[in-house]
Amino acid sequence: MTSASIETCLVEKNGLILEVTFNRPERGNSLTPVEHEFLDLVWTEFEGDESLRVAILGAAGDRIFCSGNDFRYASEHGSFAIPPTGLAGLTSRFDREKPIIAAVNGAAAGGGFEIAMACDLVVAAGHATFSLPEVKAGTYAGAGGLIRLPRQVGDKIAMEMILTGRKIPAERACALGLVNRVVDGASLMREARQLAAEIVGNSPLACAVSKRIVNETRDIPALRDAQRVSDRLGAQLIGSREFRQGVSAFLEKRRPDWTGEEK
């Protein structure tokens, strides 16, 4: 991992866990092309770095997780460049094989909510809120929010949120399946790190193959066809060194020695 932090986006390697922090609290942790391009590089390097297993995406302050694009910046500069991988280099990155946990410490509004939905898991502070308020400003949630939200909560709930722009609290988001855990704000990063540590304790190859299967079967409607894809991709794991290590560790009642090796 070669990317160093920039002033508005902090990056820290904590063992096998990468921690990324939006750092523009005075501007609602909104994003400019600088942050988008930087984060595109960060996530690309994260995927290719064998020494990293899980990432946590958080934000400075305790009021706003992320408010999406910085429209004041866009107005002042007359244009706004976003990489092909989407907001924060993440919302259109569909083939990721390493999990990213969003640690939401406040309002996740508009693009910020879209970024949270694009993550694999979400831990939220009790005071966090989630919303797609774009219709209030005469625009739309174009970074996947209108696609992901109905798939994650169902059409009726999604349409209410989309068409009213109303925000929902963390507990409601958890009940709807948008959030994995709701904790006290002071415990947010500790909880996110604990969840990351649980993932790190498992086979990296098994996690990667499992995520690959989820990615590639998500849009296959027929269960039979999806199972064929699962069988094909799962064959990469069965017979691997990781598989043998898992079985032998279970039989010998010891902790597995995971290496991520396929052979």
Side-chain angles (χ1 to χ4, degrees):
M1 190 83 189
T2 58
S3 292
S5 297
I6 59 175
E7 183 178 355
T8 56
C9 190
L10 309 179
V11 178
E12 181 179 357
K13 187 174 179 179
N14 183 8
L16 298 173
I17 302 168
L18 182 70
E19 297 187 7
V20 180
T21 306
F22 298 135
N23 192 37
R24 298 184 80 215
E26 74 286 354
R27 296 292 290 268
N29 287 316
S30 59
L31 306 173
T32 74
V34 172
E35 290 77 46
H36 289 309
E37 292 294 338
F38 176 72
L39 287 165
D40 177 41
L41 176 62
V42 167
W43 300 128
T44 296
E45 292 186 353
F46 168 63
E47 280 290 314
D49 191 334
E50 295 182 358
S51 70
L52 292 169
R53 294 277 311 282
V54 185
I56 299 172
L57 177 60
D62 60 4
R63 191 172 65 87
I64 299 177
F65 168 70
C66 180
S67 55
N69 282 322
D70 185 338
F71 288 105
R72 183 185 301 175
Y73 178 99
S75 176
E76 292 172 352
H77 291 77
S79 64
F80 205 99
I82 298 174
T85 50
L87 293 185
L90 189 58
T91 57
S92 293
R93 192 180 288 268
F94 300 112
D95 58 351
R96 294 185 296 104
E97 293 186 1
K98 293 183 180 180
I100 299 175
I101 302 168
V104 179
N105 59 331
F113 185 21
E114 292 177 297
I115 291 167
M117 282 192 283
C119 292
D120 302 285
L121 301 138
V122 178
V123 179
H127 67 281
T129 59
F130 301 83
S131 64
L132 292 177
E134 282 82 356
V135 294
K136 295 178 180 290
T139 184
Y140 75 106
L146 304 181
I147 302 167
R148 285 189 171 96
L149 189 57
R151 296 185 183 201
Q152 293 185 13
V153 303
D155 286 347
K156 297 297 187 292
I157 299 297
M159 290 308 296
E160 180 178 352
M161 292 183 67
I162 291 164
L163 298 179
T164 66
R166 187 181 305 144
K167 61 186 176 183
I168 61 172
E171 290 289 357
R172 173 66 170 156
C174 189
L176 291 172
L178 289 165
V179 168
N180 295 85
R181 303 178 187 180
V182 179
V183 298
D184 180 81
S187 305
L188 180 65
M189 285 304 297
R190 182 168 66 250
E191 190 72 18
R193 288 168 181 145
Q194 179 180 331
L195 186 57
E198 289 184 51
I199 296 170
V200 165
N202 297 323
S203 161
L205 181 60
C207 287
V209 169
S210 295
K211 194 166 185 330
R212 196 176 305 153
I213 291 170
V214 171
N215 290 343
E216 296 198 22
T217 60
R218 182 176 281 117
D219 299 326
I220 300 177
L223 181 60
R224 179 179 291 107
D225 294 337
Q227 186 61 56
R228 291 193 186 101
V229 174
S230 177
D231 292 344
R232 173 175 57 82
L233 295 176
Q236 301 172 29
L237 181 61
I238 304 303
S240 69
R241 188 266 182 197
E242 292 284 84
F243 180 80
R244 294 191 300 273
Q245 175 63 203
V247 171
S248 63
F250 175 78
L251 295 175
E252 296 166 12
K253 296 181 173 56
R254 60 173 174 83
R255 290 177 63 87
D257 175 25
W258 304 124
T259 65
E261 297 175 6
E262 294 190 19
K263 297 181 179 180

